[in-house]
Structures are given as structure tokens and as C-alpha cells.
Amino acid sequence: MPNQQQVQLDRVFHALGDPTRRAVLRRLSSGPAGVSELARPFRMALPSFTQHLGVLEECGLVRSRKTGRVRTYHLVPKPLKAAEKWMTEQLALWETRLDQLDGYLMQMKEKEE
Amino acid sequence: MPNQQQVQLDRVFHALGDPTRRAVLRRLSSGPAGVSELARPFRMALPSFTQHLGVLEECGLVRSRKTGRVRTYHLVPKPLKAAEKWMTEQLALWETRLDQLDGYLMQMKEKEE
């Protein structure tokens, strides 16, 4: 896998490893929103919250647009799709492996009987 | 989502946010392996490498077993399945949202024409 894709995966998984950031993504799936609306459900100082938004924006999961004095955030599905693709591939490999293991255990059992 | 599941997701995504740890998981999908075999492809001091193994074991993605003096690592698919479930759900929500947006844009276009 090219190095840039690796770095992108690092960032996306890192961004997903936090409940506040996952909650923000969930909220944005019902439509774009401004910082104060996004921050409302969390007991957190605004600078800490905007850091979370920064992490999400850096890895490409969200983008923001400034209209006048209001900055609005919206989702970008592509990086999540890439990360999900990695996971699906891994699970397919793992399941093949587990099937092989099952087959091996069955053979061992048959030999014993 | 119960808090324990959130913490588990935090840990799994954190564990996946590193190329060495992802490479170890990929290697283990072809079968269990010992520390020295797992460490071989990486230019890394053994203590750093075993820290990575520790992160993978803590979040439940791998388990290890000691036979005599040899510790062998193997995969545990369940935590990855849970993380993939979260991603699939998000993507479904996002796609619904994007479809709605498409519909809205089509309506706007029709009104303009």
C-alpha cells in the first residue's frame, strides 16, 4: 500500500478513536452544522472541542465552509469508505483463516476417531 | 451505546491507527506467530515492538499463549467486527443523507427551470 494511503488510514483511525469525534460524525450525518450547535451536547471547553473538529478536518472526514462569520461543518464520506474497505478486507482474510482452521480441526478429529 | 462499548471502540480504532499494528494483524491473518517472527519485517527495537503487541492485546484484537518459553499470538476477529459494524452503520446514515441532498438539489433545479 502506498505510504500516503497508510498515513491517511492512520489519521482516520486515530480520529475515530474518540467518542466525542464519533458523536460529531453521527450528528453530521443528519446534515451540516455550525460549531456551537455541534459543541452543545458536550461538557467541554470550546477550545478543546474545536481541537476535535480540527482532527476530523485534517484527516478529511469533515470539511468546513465560512459564510460571513459562521463556519459550517459537513461530512466527507470518502476517507471513511477507504477505512471500511481496509477492515472488510481484513475480516475476509481472517474468516478464510478461521475456515481453514475449522477444516484442520475437523481432519484431526476424524483421524482420532 | 453503553460506555464499555464506546471504550472498546476507542481502543480498537486507536490500535488500528498505526501501520506497524495493521501489518501485524495482516500477518496474523495467515496464522499464529511468535514475537520474533512478527517483529522481523520491522526496523524497530524489540521493546517498542512488544509495546505494539501490547496495544493489540489490550483492545482484544489479538491474544497470546505461552507454551514453554515461546509466546504465540493469534487473532480475535470479534472486536474488528464491532468496529466494522459501527463504520457500516455510519456509511449507511451518510448515504441516506447524501441521497436526501441529491433529491433536494434536483427539486431546486426543477424549480429554477
Side-chain angles (χ1 to χ4, degrees):
Chain A
M1 194 185 278
N3 197 40
Q4 215 186 330
Q5 279 179 39
Q6 288 279 12
V7 172
Q8 171 75 349
L9 273 183
D10 289 358
R11 285 184 182 163
V12 169
F13 283 130
H14 169 71
L16 296 176
D18 177 276
T20 302
R21 295 196 287 264
R22 289 199 302 276
V24 167
L25 294 174
R26 205 157 35 238
R27 162 62 192 82
L28 289 176
S29 68
S30 63
V35 181
S36 54
E37 190 193 334
L38 289 172
R40 204 169 299 143
F42 305 101
R43 293 184 173 201
M44 199 180 290
L46 201 60
S48 308
F49 186 74
T50 51
Q51 275 190 354
H52 283 305
L53 289 177
V55 172
L56 288 171
E57 196 160 14
E58 264 168 45
C59 75
L61 283 167
V62 307
R63 250 180 241 148
S64 68
R65 198 179 303 165
K66 210 168 181 182
T67 319
R69 277 198 274 177
V70 180
R71 183 173 288 280
T72 310
Y73 285 81
H74 64 96
L75 286 177
V76 184
K78 204 179 155 193
L80 195 68
K81 276 186 187 164
E84 202 229 5
K85 192 169 163 262
W86 183 89
M87 291 183 118
T88 313
E89 284 168 3
Q90 288 310 300
L91 281 172
L93 283 173
W94 296 16
E95 269 154 23
T96 310
R97 170 69 201 158
L98 291 174
D99 286 348
Q100 285 170 347
L101 200 64
D102 272 351
Y104 174 74
L105 291 174
M106 287 289 276
Q107 277 183 359
M108 294 297 285
K109 213 177 158 190
E110 278 165 18
K111 272 189 194 166
E112 272 176 19
E113 281 168 7
Chain B
M1 194 186 278
N3 197 41
Q4 215 186 329
Q5 279 179 39
Q6 289 277 14
V7 172
Q8 172 74 349
L9 274 183
D10 289 358
R11 286 185 183 163
V12 169
F13 283 130
H14 168 71
L16 295 176
D18 178 275
T20 302
R21 294 195 288 263
R22 289 199 301 277
V24 167
L25 293 174
R26 206 157 35 238
R27 162 61 191 83
L28 289 176
S29 68
S30 64
V35 181
S36 54
E37 190 193 333
L38 289 171
R40 204 170 298 144
F42 306 101
R43 292 183 174 204
M44 198 180 288
L46 201 61
S48 309
F49 186 75
T50 52
Q51 273 188 355
H52 284 305
L53 289 177
V55 172
L56 289 171
E57 195 160 13
E58 263 168 45
C59 75
L61 283 167
V62 307
R63 250 180 242 147
S64 69
R65 197 179 304 164
K66 209 167 181 182
T67 319
R69 277 197 274 176
V70 180
R71 183 172 289 281
T72 310
Y73 286 81
H74 64 96
L75 287 176
V76 184
K78 204 180 155 192
L80 194 69
K81 278 188 185 161
E84 202 229 5
K85 192 169 163 261
W86 182 91
M87 292 183 117
T88 313
E89 283 168 3
Q90 289 310 300
L91 282 172
L93 283 172
W94 296 16
E95 268 153 25
T96 310
R97 170 69 201 158
L98 291 174
D99 286 347
Q100 284 169 349
L101 200 64
D102 272 351
Y104 174 75
L105 291 174
M106 287 288 277
Q107 276 183 2
M108 294 297 285
K109 213 177 158 189
E110 278 165 19
K111 271 188 193 166
E112 272 176 20
E113 281 166 6

